[in-house]
Amino acid sequence: MKDVTQLTEGWSLRHGEELLEARVPGCVHTDLMAAGVVPDPFLGLGETEVAWVGRRPWTYVARLHHDSPHERTDLVFDGLDTAASVTLDGRPLGTTRNMHRVHRFDVTGRTGELLVRFASAYDEAESVRAAVGERPNVYPEPSQYIRKMACNFGWDWGPTLVTAGIWRPVRLEHWSTARLAAVRPVITVEDGTGLIEVRLDTERTAVGRGRTLRAEARIAGVRAETDFTGDEAVLRLEVPDPRLWWPRGYGEQPLYDLDITLSDDDGPLDTWHRRVGFRTVELDRSADEHGTGFTVVVNGVRIFARGVNWIPDDAFPSRVTPERYRTRLTQAADANVDLVRVWGGGIYEDDAFYDVCDELGLMVWQDFLFACSAYPEEQPLRGEVEAEARDNVVRLMPHPSLILWNGNNENLWGFRDWGWEPALDGDSWGEGYYLGLLPRIVAELDPTRPYTAGSPWSGSWDHHPNDPAHGTHHSWEVWNRQDYAEYRVSVPRFVAEFGWQAPPALATLRRALPGEQLAPDSPGMLHHQKAEDGNGKLNRGVARHFPLPEGDFDRWHYLTQLVQARAVAAGIEHWRSHWPVCAGTVVWQLNDCWPVTSWAAVDGDGRLKPLHHELRRVYADRLLTLQPEGPGLVLAVINQSAEPWHTRVTLRRVAADGTVLDEGVLDAGAGPREVLRLPVPDGLAPAAGSAKEFLVADADGLRALHFPVADKDFGYPRPRFDIEVEPVPGQEDKVDVVVTARTLVRDLLLQPDRLDPAAVCDRGPQTLLPGERTRIRVGGCGAVDADAVRAALFCVDVV
């Protein structure tokens, strides 16, 4: 039986004449930080002080000892970052040039000093560029010339920290006769029966060549076996009436243990185990009167995808533990997210990521790793791309949460719109990957899952790649140049990227910028703002709605976070109200890889921005929204639940001082997974351009608001409210903050980290009418008084 020895101990990193203790898995930066050689690049301006690290070669050293009775011993690296030569006892084992692949070397009978020498990623990229020629790139760094995490080279939310190291586990595998080289379970459901076709690839030793082997598969009490003498075998199993795996909100997520055993007459040789699920997935890209659709269909049910984009959760991804994956993905589920798009400038995440998605019912849209660049298709890259794709398709395909493969991020769009086509002058740029190689690999290895060539992509060159009427659309004009009300101008078929920036929580800023007098343009704040004209866009976004605060950082911080939440909510509410024409929104972005001003809902220290709370509201199964349409207003009653929603919606036209000017009730009924759109009666709609009245819609604890003018033009009273702090019985670390409004209080927000860096609360921005009361539960803050709470509370105040 194969046995495995993990090689996590005894590694050193050569730094000049010194040998520093090295952590494996890990990277050079984290080892240098642990040794005190370099500062933490996440703090202050530390990123600039470590730029030299990525431009040097580095060597990891260990002593390899093993004594095994098996015929064969393999040294297996799950991830080497990136261009490396591996030697054992002075003799070469091989070279690597791909961060995203597994590498295996035969070390049978060999021991001694193991050296892994990493070339500078810059040097490797430049050597490839010299061989294949120039290609355009959105960023100035050479990320498209090396199969490495592209955002290592910096992004508009990420630092430039070009890593090297043994970033995933390394081990010795000892085996005899034969081993399982690849296991591909193709799983589907037909007529209520779960069908599994398990395709096995094996590797044999010289002794095992030609020997009869037996493969056995077991799942849910069903067993299949076959004898074979070649290197491949197929096992087929039928599971009657399996429980179906569903996305969250649509059903449960039952998982089944699938076990494979490879054996010969002397007993077991190797085993393989995964948890799998039964479900069908389709992508409806049918043409209709609106254009070309893009609707996810799971188990025959059409789904409006409530999504977020995912980037690597740390600039040093070897630091992301299974527990951290679970925390971050649980935050996504808590925001009523049901789809996570793994973006193409990062990594194929660890299996722990997909395991949690399987358990939580989070559908995974997986990009192949190409982003915002023209990629050469010549060698040595082409062979690496194919091997990488094959490795990762086979590794990830057992996960039922994985529902879509996507060829690239924005490269088809870039070719058409960003000046690439004339600059390339006929050179390869990646089209052959996205429209040729990758779909062939998916069709061969993972035929039950859909593939799309890119995001955005209209489905063919017959339409513009980012045409909102066809396929997937990225909406960035609004953030870059317009007010967020412009999201309402169009109804794309599927919005795969859109977003709005905001700074992280105050406690995150204070940790990341120690000692700095915080201001929007203070040195650390500017360094931790990577977007082009990022602060300019933030300020213009605020100024369209509020007087821009001068010299009041706390107020600026509140307003930028509030505008982020409002902007994203405006887009989602509009697009959800047009289901099924629009079939999904994927917010840019869920998470951050370091403390930074960005589009994230969860900041680099894991703290929730107001956007996260707003996502929980606008991604809930049931939502009320008031949408301007022509000269009037539409009330959209959105029901994404499986049950009909019959309700009575109370509409109140309210004066700025809280006086109810008119009131009415609409009976509303939305069927399962349906949207009902009702015109607001003329007498209830506030006058267009009025600065003195607004509309409130309430039903079943849900509220929608419509103000006819920008906040800075509305006649708000000076906000007044009372605060009480009540202990929570039996929970000493929690308090309830009870706020009673004496006037209209718009977008009341408690920033809990101002009470304690560890504090969290259960509510985001909320609007109270005079006399209304809200209860905000705060955890992790201990005992606090009303004065401290008042200092942590913000609301709209433009008087």
Side-chain angles (χ1 to χ4, degrees):
M1 180 68 175
K2 182 179 77 175
D3 64 75
V4 176
T5 304
Q6 297 295 335
L7 300 180
T8 57
E9 306 295 331
W11 288 93
S12 299
L13 173 67
R14 282 185 180 165
H15 175 53
E17 299 300 316
E18 294 183 84
L19 282 179
L20 307 178
E21 182 179 349
R23 183 170 182 175
V24 171
C27 73
V28 170
H29 286 79
T30 53
D31 290 334
L32 294 175
M33 288 163 58
V37 175
V38 299
D40 186 339
F42 287 11
L43 303 183
L45 307 183
E47 176 195 358
T48 60
E49 299 180 48
V50 302
W52 60 273
V53 175
R55 295 187 176 276
R56 284 187 46 179
W58 297 93
T59 299
Y60 281 81
V61 184
R63 297 293 302 180
L64 192 61
H65 303 282
H66 60 95
D67 182 15
S68 172
H70 281 287
E71 299 168 45
R72 173 85 170 260
T73 297
D74 290 342
L75 174 64
V76 184
F77 294 94
D78 283 340
L80 291 172
D81 177 17
T82 293
S85 62
V86 184
T87 62
L88 178 58
D89 196 27
R91 295 161 56 195
L93 293 177
T95 59
T96 74
R97 58 197 324 157
N98 193 325
M99 178 182 184
H100 310 298
R101 287 183 58 189
V102 174
H103 294 91
R104 178 180 293 267
F105 304 104
D106 183 352
V107 294
T108 306
R110 300 174 62 179
T111 60
E113 185 178 58
L114 176 62
L115 299 179
V116 185
R117 297 183 174 93
F118 292 96
S120 160
Y122 283 104
D123 291 346
E124 167 69 11
E126 291 304 330
S127 70
V128 173
R129 175 161 31 196
V132 302
E134 287 287 337
R135 299 294 192 282
N137 186 341
V138 170
Y139 298 100
E141 303 278 316
S143 61
Q144 73 268 51
Y145 302 103
I146 182 170
R147 295 310 299 158
K148 177 176 174 58
M149 183 170 92
C151 61
N152 259 171
F153 291 93
W155 221 260
D156 56 5
W157 38 257
T160 301
L161 295 169
V162 180
T163 55
I166 305 170
W167 77 287
R168 277 188 164 155
V170 55
R171 63 190 176 275
L172 291 173
E173 292 186 1
H174 312 282
W175 55 282
S176 298
T177 305
R179 70 175 186 91
L180 292 167
V183 178
R184 292 193 293 113
V186 179
I187 303 173
T188 189
V189 182
E190 290 184 13
D191 300 324
T193 298
L195 304 179
I196 306 178
E197 180 181 272
V198 183
R199 292 191 169 270
L200 307 179
D201 294 333
T202 63
E203 183 182 9
R204 296 171 180 259
T205 65
V207 172
R209 192 167 298 123
R211 183 176 294 189
T212 298
L213 302 178
R214 178 173 294 111
E216 180 186 59
R218 293 178 181 270
I219 186 171
V222 177
R223 174 179 171 275
E225 69 175 23
T226 187
D227 293 343
F228 63 102
T229 56
D231 294 332
E232 300 177 356
V234 180
L235 296 160
R236 294 180 175 86
L237 303 98
E238 295 188 4
V239 178
D241 300 317
R243 297 172 60 215
L244 297 182
W245 183 96
W246 289 94
R248 64 173 307 281
Y250 289 80
E252 298 180 347
Q253 293 78 44
L255 299 171
Y256 292 82
D257 293 310
L258 175 61
D259 290 285
I260 310 297
T261 302
L262 180 71
S263 59
D264 64 3
D265 290 341
D266 296 326
L269 301 170
D270 199 358
T271 61
W272 180 96
H273 168 82
R274 295 291 188 277
R275 292 184 306 165
V276 301
F278 292 94
R279 53 99 183 101
T280 63
V281 59
E282 303 165 74
L283 189 59
D284 184 352
R285 291 180 268 203
S286 302
D288 57 25
E289 68 272 26
H290 304 287
T292 309
F294 192 93
T295 304
V296 174
V297 184
V298 178
N299 299 327
V301 175
R302 301 170 69 82
I303 291 174
F304 181 97
R306 294 169 280 187
V308 288
N309 281 275
W310 172 276
I311 66 170
D313 204 53
D314 198 308
F316 306 126
S318 58
R319 298 198 296 198
V320 182
T321 63
E323 294 76 20
R324 184 159 155 187
Y325 277 127
R326 186 169 296 277
T327 295
R328 200 69 68 244
L329 291 167
T330 298
Q331 289 171 325
D334 288 345
N336 290 315
V337 165
D338 60 21
L339 181 144
V340 178
R341 175 189 172 210
V342 182
W343 168 75
I347 60 175
Y348 305 98
E349 297 290 343
D350 188 83
D351 279 307
F353 171 93
Y354 304 91
D355 287 341
V356 176
C357 291
D358 292 342
E359 295 169 17
L360 296 180
L362 294 171
M363 297 179 287
V364 176
W365 160 333
Q366 177 67 57
D367 281 13
F368 288 101
L369 301 185
F370 304 90
C372 300
S373 303
Y375 285 81
E377 298 175 40
E378 293 84 1
Q379 298 293 9
L381 293 177
R382 187 177 184 85
E384 290 294 339
V385 166
E386 178 165 0
E388 166 193 319
R390 290 181 175 278
D391 261 15
N392 287 285
V393 169
V394 171
R395 176 171 72 91
L396 300 182
M397 63 185 290
H399 292 280
S401 57
L402 178 59
I403 57 111
L404 178 66
W405 293 103
N406 176 51
N408 74 87
N409 177 75
E410 298 190 341
N411 294 342
L412 297 160
W413 183 18
F415 177 75
R416 179 55 50 87
D417 268 7
W418 300 347
W420 294 3
E421 191 169 2
L424 285 162
D425 192 28
D427 287 339
S428 68
W429 56 276
E431 182 183 30
Y433 296 147
Y434 318 136
L435 298 178
L437 177 66
L438 295 175
R440 285 198 300 270
I441 290 173
V442 172
E444 173 195 343
L445 299 178
D446 191 16
T448 70
R449 283 189 180 86
Y451 169 88
T452 184
S455 184
W457 179 233
S458 59
S460 78
W461 287 115
D462 293 339
H463 306 287
H464 187 281
N466 200 30
D467 187 335
H470 299 276
T472 50
H473 176 67
H474 288 194
S475 178
W476 285 116
E477 282 298 297
V478 173
W479 156 251
N480 285 320
R481 296 173 181 85
Q482 301 169 344
D483 181 51
Y484 58 74
E486 296 301 309
Y487 285 132
R488 302 190 185 106
V489 168
S490 68
V491 182
R493 306 310 304 267
F494 193 105
V495 187
E497 279 190 22
F498 79 108
W500 203 274
Q501 271 202 347
L506 184 67
T508 300
L509 290 172
R510 285 176 172 161
R511 186 194 69 81
L513 306 175
E516 180 162 313
Q517 184 67 39
L518 294 176
D521 58 353
S522 59
M525 286 292 295
L526 290 178
H527 186 75
H528 289 245
Q529 163 62 279
K530 297 295 187 179
E532 182 182 0
D533 191 30
N535 274 14
K537 294 171 186 176
L538 280 177
N539 289 338
R540 289 190 291 275
V542 170
R544 293 183 186 108
H545 296 267
F546 302 96
L548 191 64
E550 298 291 342
D552 186 345
F553 179 79
D554 288 343
R555 192 78 192 157
W556 180 86
H557 181 266
Y558 160 71
L559 289 176
T560 51
Q561 287 201 333
L562 175 63
V563 170
Q564 180 192 38
R566 281 195 190 180
V568 172
I572 293 173
E573 289 187 35
H574 167 65
W575 293 319
R576 280 193 74 183
S577 77
H578 286 279
W579 161 260
V581 177
C582 180
T585 55
V586 189
V587 177
W588 188 271
Q589 62 212 68
L590 174 68
N591 58 326
D592 270 327
C593 65
W594 75 314
V596 64
T597 295
S598 85
W599 297 263
V602 181
D603 77 18
D605 281 7
R607 294 186 174 92
L608 307 183
K609 294 184 188 177
L611 172 58
H612 182 276
H613 296 282
E614 196 68 348
L615 285 177
R616 187 174 62 203
R617 181 184 71 84
V618 297
Y619 271 166
D621 280 352
R622 292 176 173 177
L623 175 68
L624 293 179
T625 180
L626 291 162
Q627 294 292 316
E629 191 164 289
L633 287 175
V634 166
L635 170 71
V637 180
I638 300 168
N639 180 27
Q640 203 162 345
S641 73
E643 302 299 326
W645 185 19
H646 297 288
T647 189
R648 289 168 61 83
V649 182
T650 300
L651 294 169
R652 288 177 286 172
R653 183 163 56 87
V654 183
D657 66 2
T659 303
V660 176
L661 303 174
D662 202 354
E663 185 172 352
V665 176
L666 295 180
D667 288 317
R673 326 290 188 199
E674 288 185 358
V675 174
L676 175 69
R677 296 171 61 86
L678 298 171
V680 173
D682 290 341
L684 291 174
S690 173
K692 299 179 179 179
E693 58 186 32
F694 61 101
L695 183 61
V696 182
D698 289 304
D700 299 341
L702 304 179
R703 170 167 285 177
L705 297 165
H706 171 71
F707 285 75
V709 296
D711 296 79
K712 63 184 179 182
D713 299 321
F714 192 77
Y716 287 108
R718 174 73 66 184
R720 292 185 294 110
F721 50 86
D722 299 330
I723 298 171
E724 299 174 78
V725 180
E726 299 178 357
V728 178
Q731 301 185 60
E732 294 182 359
D733 67 331
K734 294 182 179 179
V735 297
D736 280 347
V737 173
V738 182
V739 179
T740 304
R742 300 304 175 197
T743 64
L744 170 65
V745 179
R746 181 89 190 273
D747 285 320
L748 178 75
L749 176 70
L750 176 65
Q751 294 187 347
D753 57 294
R754 291 177 180 267
L755 301 174
D756 187 284
V760 295
C761 69
D762 65 350
R763 300 288 180 90
Q766 51 189 317
T767 294
L768 304 179
L769 304 184
E772 290 186 336
R773 173 178 294 184
T774 187
R775 183 177 293 270
I776 306 168
R777 180 150 295 181
V778 185
C781 65
V784 295
D785 59 28
D787 288 340
V789 169
R790 188 172 288 275
L793 277 169
F794 295 83
C795 67
V796 170
D797 184 357
V798 296
V799 176

